[in-house]
Amino acid sequence: MSVIAVRRSNLPGFGLTMGLTLTWLSVIILIPLAALFLKTFELSPEQFWGIVSSRRTLNALKISFGLSFAAALVNLVMGTIIVWALVRYRFPGRRLFDAIVDIPFALPTAVAGVALTQLFAPKGWLGGPLAELGIKVAFTPVGIFVAMIFIGIPFVVRTVQPVLIDLDVEIEEAAASLGANRWHTVLRVILPGLIPALLTGFALAFARAVGEYGSVIFIAGNLPNVSEIAPLLIVIRLSEFRYADATAIAVVMLVASFLIIFAVNRLQRWAQARIPTH
Amino acid sequence: MTIEVKNIVKKFGAFAALDNVDLKVGNGELLALLGPSGSGKTTLLRIIAGLDWPDSGELSFDGEDALGRGASERQVGFVFQHYALFRHMTVFENVAFGLRVQPRGVRKDEATIRARVKELLDLVQLDWLSSRYPSQLSGGQRQRIALARALAIEPRILLLDEPFGALDAKVRKELRQWLRSLHSEISVTTIFVTHDQEEALEVANRVVVMDKGRIEQIGTPGEVYDSPATAFVHGFIGESIVLPVDVRDGAVRLGGSALDIGANGAASGASKLFVRRHDMQIGPPGSGALQGAVRHVRSFGPIQRAEVALSAGEGNTVIEIDAPRDRELRAGEMVGLQPRRYRIFAAQK
Amino acid sequence: MTIITASDPAHLSHRERSDRVSDPGEGSSSAALPVGNRKTTVGIARSNSRTEPGPVRFVIIVLALTFLTVFVVLPLVVVFAQAFSKGFIAYFAALAEPEAWSAIKLTLLVAAISVGLNLVFGVLAAWAIAKFDFSGKTFLITLIDLPFSVSPVIAGLVFVLLFGAQGYFGPWLQAHNINVLFAVPGIVLVTIFVTFPFVARALIPLMQEQGTQEEEAAISLGASGLQTFFRVTLPNIKWGLLYGVLLCNARAMGEFGAVSVVSGHIRGETNTMPLLVEILYNEYQFVSSFAIASLLAMLALITLVVKTVLERRLDEGQAPSDH
């Protein structure tokens, strides 16, 4: 790693720990990911394009990215409302609900998948009443959407929550003393301060939903071109031993998630630059 | 233990924290490294402790090279600015740490360690705190525990980084006297870093004044105060009146007019005249080298502090003078001023 | 009559907000008292600057709680309801199946190995990153974070590309009769991959905040590097370390997508608990499937409780430092 130039330090162990870190990082993360790109380079550009632009792949990518985006939008709105309630109001069970927000982080995805399916299946607790209204959730794209909302909630809440807590209360009072009504204060004073965190939370929820597998596949229905997500298509291509196809789809998704990380990093830097030092 | 620092250079990027520093410290000395922040004093202290390494230069203890040895082998007691007490250990365990980590064979038995720690806690007069945790102590107590911890390893040299910096003024004063008497009791070669001139002059036997990575002057408190070697030292230690003057052929000129004082061998060219506030003697108008009008007088204790607007040259130069209260000054009064003692240094760009 | 309005500045500056429970029935006057601005105005309904009108607050709280209940609480309840839908006996019988047992054992084994390795790595990485200055640090942290943004399926795929029959090391492994894919080593490898960042990420900010002064003090008192780590650093980071290990373990035991790709689903051999949940569910053995799922859900709940406790510990640990 040429990027690492050591400054001699007083504490021992830099060479050893850095060496082991880089070795372990290379073995577990870098070499395997490199293998993915290496495999992609075995394809000609035409082959690669052929795979990626085939109808089934394109539809799977559209479903994954489109529904993830929509789910992240829902998370953005509902996450903001949840954060607002948790931070600004006092109500019975507030601490409990605060802890509950983390469940989608902690619950294994397969468990979430079967539970959501059972809940929204035509005979399920929620699926039943919804079916009577003519709304089918499980085994349709709506099911995918629901599962993606589930896994995305904590990202928005946990990104925005600390920022809202730390927000200087004086600016609200200043706004009020300058004659702003509550609506103006929220819209013009508080929300702008939350925008970097909101966008970061949105991007994280989006990235997670795009790559999500376990909690989605049970409820999805998995009909090609209709309710088949990209990660599932990778698994299917692998089971058919069509490694090239699986790899090409994976590379598209990986590049997309790298772009999202990059965007998130920029957002964080932007947010830090905007906040004056306390 | 004597310490010798030779030609030490330490750079952080383009910034020279230490620029060719030479220093000899005698056995049993109590030495202050004094300078503004960024002058390199802490870097020098850390290099002596083995917590940093110079880019070039030599360091020896009693004539033996010390740079080849790491901090843990130098037997140097270091007291950190924020004390760096181990927050998860009691006061007792903090002090005992250096004894417990000694290699097997050298390490003393538990009873000896306990006795030694007790002795040290007695020395710093905090025996009664031995089962407390650092977070339960006051700043002054932490400071003394940090010192006891550093003394536990029977250091050949004791180094203190801004030992009183984080304390309030009253505690600071008490601890200064205490450090002096402690030093005379244990007489270990001791170096401490401070940016507070009063602290350096009051505690140390010798003071090293540093600025911008260089040593400006080394001397006793009396020497650095009374005979500052450079303009920086004069300005940094004690309060001075500084006037821009021009030296030509042995004559000193302020603004347009010549002052009735000798150049004392100062080289010709743009210079600065340094006078201590209390070294400016006040006389009747017309007497002395400078003329001025008293603008404002405040009296407290044995002195009166007068703001005087000078009439010579740049008329709107206002200086502050400390005069004895034998003759009360009044605002509006014209006075003559004569520097009793003064120094002229070439002006630096 | 003038009414004294006691607006206590100390209270205003305090972050703690009024503990008043918003009761929708109470309407505007008292429920809508300004948060943290307790005016003792009697009889005057004041519009206030720091909170929303009662009905708005009510709607926001109801929306938030309904959403969380539907999307988070109900799925969790479903797991246990389904697991016990045929009674306790059926539940425990499902867990006593040899297949269930072998899945539990495999999951524990995989978690133990991968958490153990990532623990060691995480501490090493955090030491190098938090205690030293070097250029490229941010980049290195980004690399360590990478697995968080890689789809679990892709994590599985890359190991198939390396160790599969057509993979880069596949032929060599076959020639030497070493099974990685569709065997325990493969499962361990992908689990290490997906849980890679947890310990390091928990430790780096903590150790950076603690600085190097205590370590320097230990070294200057004659301690060796290892003595310094075990006697000074480790006690200071123990809660953070536990926090990282806890989250790492939860993910290791619950990982599905990545493990699913490399496991081969060999019954009784390479099925972890999440995989068994899937298989049983697809075979319509709902009680058995949800019984295993309930164990994993319990793991998640315990993880959350311990996490909350640890977070409080960590906050306390940082508060009294006087730097």
Side-chain angles (χ1 to χ4, degrees):
Chain A
M1 290 259 108
S2 60
V3 283
I4 287 149
V6 188
R7 196 188 96 188
R8 187 162 188 184
S9 176
N10 33 52
L11 296 178
F14 180 76
L16 182 74
T17 54
M18 182 55 85
L20 287 171
T21 299
L22 292 179
T23 309
W24 189 236
L25 182 77
S26 306
V27 169
I28 298 294
I29 310 289
L30 300 181
I31 294 174
L33 285 181
L36 182 71
F37 286 97
L38 218 60
K39 193 82 189 171
T40 315
F41 288 128
E42 289 174 10
L43 296 170
S44 70
E46 292 77 28
Q47 282 172 312
F48 181 83
W49 185 244
I51 294 166
V52 173
S53 63
S54 78
R55 182 162 165 261
R56 190 169 170 187
T57 311
L58 220 49
N59 279 326
L61 288 171
K62 268 188 213 161
I63 290 165
S64 274
F65 282 92
L67 287 176
S68 297
F69 193 85
L73 276 181
V74 171
N75 282 325
L76 181 66
V77 174
M78 289 314 298
T80 310
I81 290 174
I82 292 168
V83 169
W84 196 269
L86 290 177
V87 172
R88 288 302 174 97
Y89 304 147
R90 291 293 172 272
F91 51 88
R94 188 184 62 89
R95 281 170 165 276
L96 185 68
F97 275 97
D98 194 356
I100 279 171
V101 169
D102 276 334
I103 284 177
F105 269 154
L107 199 65
T109 55
V111 177
V114 294
L116 286 167
T117 311
Q118 205 68 12
L119 187 63
F120 287 98
K123 285 182 182 165
W125 293 349
L126 294 175
L130 285 170
E132 279 175 26
L133 295 171
I135 304 169
K136 274 193 74 181
V137 177
F139 319 123
T140 71
V142 184
I144 302 176
F145 179 60
V146 165
M148 286 173 166
I149 291 174
F150 169 83
I151 46 141
I153 297 166
F155 289 93
V156 175
V157 175
R158 292 299 181 232
T159 322
V160 179
Q161 197 173 24
V163 182
L164 185 62
I165 289 174
D166 277 347
L167 209 65
D168 194 354
V169 294
E170 279 184 5
I171 62 164
E172 282 173 56
E173 289 168 348
S177 76
L178 292 168
N181 66 28
R182 188 64 192 158
W183 179 239
H184 278 137
T185 306
V186 170
L187 216 60
R188 301 219 178 143
V189 178
I190 301 175
L191 268 185
L194 298 182
I195 281 175
L198 285 169
L199 288 177
T200 304
F202 173 83
L204 291 173
F206 176 59
R208 173 69 198 263
V210 167
E212 184 54 30
Y213 178 71
S215 45
V216 175
I217 53 157
F218 295 96
I219 201 172
N222 304 329
L223 257 168
N225 300 317
V226 178
S227 55
E228 183 179 68
I229 55 168
L232 179 65
L233 189 56
I234 295 177
V235 173
I236 290 171
R237 291 309 187 213
L238 268 179
S239 67
E240 296 166 351
F241 301 106
R242 291 166 67 175
Y243 285 11
D245 292 46
T247 308
I249 304 168
V251 162
V252 172
M253 293 183 62
L254 204 58
V255 168
S257 49
F258 287 171
L259 289 177
I260 297 171
I261 317 178
F262 182 70
V264 168
N265 282 344
R266 293 302 291 268
L267 273 172
Q268 301 283 14
R269 217 167 295 165
W270 178 49
Q272 268 161 15
R274 269 169 42 123
I275 296 166
T277 46
H278 290 288
Chain B
M1 169 85 31
T2 63
I3 305 168
E4 192 169 357
V5 172
K6 253 193 209 160
N7 304 328
I8 283 208
V9 175
K10 171 77 179 175
K11 289 196 165 112
F12 294 115
F15 173 74
L18 290 175
D19 187 4
N20 231 351
V21 167
D22 284 284
L23 178 65
K24 276 187 186 170
V25 187
N27 190 22
E29 266 200 272
L30 177 53
L31 188 87
L33 294 180
L34 172 66
S37 58
S39 59
K41 54 196 192 305
T42 295
T43 306
L44 180 56
L45 199 73
R46 290 173 59 87
I47 286 174
I48 297 171
L51 295 172
D52 256 323
W53 271 266
D55 299 330
S56 63
E58 291 169 34
L59 172 70
S60 53
F61 295 166
D62 276 346
E64 271 175 50
D65 171 58
L67 289 178
R69 281 180 286 166
S72 55
E73 302 148 342
R74 287 194 197 176
Q75 234 185 325
V76 167
F78 197 97
V79 178
F80 291 80
Q81 185 176 2
H82 298 288
Y83 321 129
L85 292 176
F86 306 128
R87 65 192 102 176
H88 63 284
M89 293 183 199
T90 60
V91 163
F92 186 93
E93 285 306 318
N94 260 285
V95 178
F97 183 88
L99 303 170
R100 294 203 193 283
V101 296
Q102 282 179 331
R104 236 169 253 135
V106 185
R107 195 189 307 158
K108 300 180 183 61
D109 62 77
E110 184 63 21
T112 318
I113 291 177
R114 293 198 155 267
R116 174 84 182 124
V117 173
K118 170 128 185 27
E119 195 182 306
L120 285 160
L121 287 174
D122 282 338
L123 180 71
V124 298
Q125 298 153 5
L126 289 176
D127 187 34
W128 53 288
L129 289 177
S130 67
S131 57
R132 299 266 183 96
Y133 284 89
S135 59
Q136 300 168 302
L137 306 183
S138 73
Q141 290 166 343
R142 285 181 205 180
Q143 168 65 267
R144 286 189 278 166
I145 296 302
L147 195 60
R149 183 178 70 177
L151 292 174
I153 58 168
E154 288 169 44
R156 304 184 298 170
I157 301 165
L158 186 59
L159 304 174
L160 303 98
D161 186 6
E162 294 279 4
F164 314 115
L167 302 172
D168 59 57
K170 187 165 170 287
V171 182
R172 203 185 277 211
K173 277 226 142 96
E174 286 168 16
L175 277 177
R176 277 184 207 167
Q177 287 160 3
W178 179 77
L179 180 64
R180 274 192 73 88
S181 60
L182 184 80
H183 177 257
S184 57
E185 207 172 313
I186 58 177
S187 64
V188 172
T189 309
T190 302
I191 303 177
F192 70 96
V193 154
T194 180
H195 64 271
D196 181 342
Q197 40 150 324
E198 202 184 315
E199 202 162 280
L201 300 181
E202 200 176 297
V203 179
N205 304 131
R206 261 199 325 153
V207 178
V208 177
V209 187
M210 295 184 69
D211 183 43
K212 294 181 185 140
R214 291 172 166 277
I215 290 179
E216 294 277 326
Q217 187 174 6
I218 305 175
T220 63
E223 282 164 3
V224 294
Y225 187 90
D226 294 326
S227 324
T230 65
F232 172 80
V233 177
H234 209 307
F236 188 71
I237 295 177
E239 295 189 88
S240 301
I241 298 161
V242 187
L243 293 170
V245 293
D246 197 41
V247 178
R248 213 174 299 153
D249 310 324
V252 182
R253 303 172 74 85
L254 174 65
S257 45
L259 298 181
D260 185 18
I261 55 174
N264 291 0
S268 292
S271 304
K272 278 182 172 168
L273 172 69
F274 284 81
V275 188
R276 296 278 182 221
R277 280 179 178 172
H278 54 80
D279 278 338
M280 197 65 104
Q281 191 168 1
I282 297 183
S287 72
L290 293 155
Q291 303 300 314
V294 176
R295 297 218 315 199
H296 184 77
V297 185
R298 277 169 297 153
S299 296
F300 41 82
I303 61 150
Q304 50 186 335
R305 180 161 297 169
E307 266 178 32
V308 178
L310 296 183
S311 24
E314 294 153 36
N316 50 3
T317 307
V318 178
I319 60 175
E320 280 196 335
I321 292 164
D322 288 346
R325 292 179 70 175
D326 49 2
R327 188 174 76 84
E328 296 287 336
L329 293 167
R330 280 190 320 278
E333 187 181 346
M334 295 297 294
V335 289
L337 300 170
Q338 178 64 33
R340 226 176 280 133
R341 283 198 307 182
Y342 60 90
R343 293 180 72 90
I344 296 169
F345 296 104
Q348 282 164 325
K349 278 286 148 70
Chain C
M1 193 184 91
T2 40
I3 295 152
I4 300 157
T5 62
S7 134
D8 176 6
H11 194 79
L12 278 175
S13 66
H14 206 265
R15 180 155 292 159
E16 187 71 23
R17 297 203 163 64
S18 157
D19 278 328
R20 201 164 281 275
V21 170
S22 112
D23 179 353
E26 257 185 290
S28 59
S29 66
S30 67
L33 265 179
V35 186
N37 186 3
R38 224 178 253 154
K39 308 250 180 189
T40 53
T41 324
V42 185
I44 298 174
R46 297 177 57 96
S47 83
N48 62 73
S49 58
R50 290 276 316 285
T51 192
E52 293 71 43
V56 175
R57 297 167 48 146
F58 178 64
V59 169
I60 288 176
I61 292 174
V62 167
L63 265 177
L65 297 195
T66 310
F67 185 83
L68 284 176
T69 306
V70 168
F71 281 94
V72 184
V73 179
L74 280 183
L76 196 66
V77 175
V78 163
V79 172
F80 291 98
Q82 289 290 330
F84 290 103
S85 61
K86 299 263 164 66
F88 283 87
I89 295 166
Y91 176 81
F92 288 110
L95 292 183
E97 288 284 324
E99 212 174 24
W101 264 113
S102 74
I104 293 171
K105 276 189 280 187
L106 179 60
T107 298
L108 290 176
L109 175 73
V110 169
I113 300 173
S114 47
V115 172
L117 286 172
N118 275 336
L119 165 71
V120 173
F121 156 78
V123 170
L124 293 174
W127 180 267
I129 290 171
K131 300 288 182 187
F132 298 89
D133 279 330
F134 53 90
S135 49
K137 190 186 272 196
T138 330
F139 182 61
L140 185 59
I141 293 175
T142 310
L143 288 183
I144 289 174
D145 269 346
L146 218 50
F148 277 163
S149 39
V150 172
S151 171
V153 167
I154 297 177
L157 167 70
V158 296
F159 287 96
V160 172
L161 294 180
L162 282 181
F163 301 118
Q166 305 171 27
Y168 291 104
F169 304 127
W172 186 88
L173 290 171
Q174 257 176 349
H176 291 78
N177 220 3
I178 303 168
N179 288 324
V180 175
L181 224 54
F182 312 130
V184 177
I187 299 175
V188 170
L189 271 175
V190 292
T191 307
I192 293 175
F193 182 99
V194 294
T195 58
F196 192 84
F198 282 103
V199 177
R201 287 304 271 159
L203 291 183
I204 290 170
L206 183 66
M207 285 167 73
Q208 274 176 335
E209 196 200 271
Q210 289 177 347
T212 55
Q213 280 225 329
E214 287 185 42
E215 282 80 9
E216 287 182 349
I219 298 279
S220 83
L221 290 167
S224 69
L226 282 180
Q227 279 175 325
T228 303
F229 176 75
F230 283 107
R231 286 168 183 249
V232 175
T233 311
L234 194 58
N236 280 338
I237 60 169
K238 60 179 182 231
W239 299 121
L241 189 61
L242 209 56
Y243 186 84
V245 165
L246 180 83
L247 298 187
C248 185
N249 178 64
R251 180 71 193 268
M253 288 192 172
E255 180 50 34
F256 174 71
V259 173
S260 160
V261 171
V262 298
S263 117
H265 301 88
I266 305 165
R267 294 205 129 171
E269 279 182 41
T270 61
N271 273 338
T272 60
M273 290 164 74
L275 294 183
L276 191 59
V277 169
E278 180 200 23
I279 290 171
L280 294 171
Y281 188 82
N282 287 341
E283 289 173 350
Y284 303 103
Q285 301 191 41
F286 292 134
V287 170
S288 306
S289 172
F290 279 100
I292 306 284
S294 74
L295 293 183
L296 290 168
M298 236 122 58
L299 168 78
L301 290 177
I302 293 169
T303 301
L304 282 187
V305 171
V306 179
K307 174 173 166 277
T308 312
V309 173
L310 284 178
E311 276 167 355
R312 214 163 297 161
R313 287 263 181 191
L314 282 167
D315 283 347
E316 280 166 18
Q318 281 162 15
S321 88
D322 60 331
H323 288 251

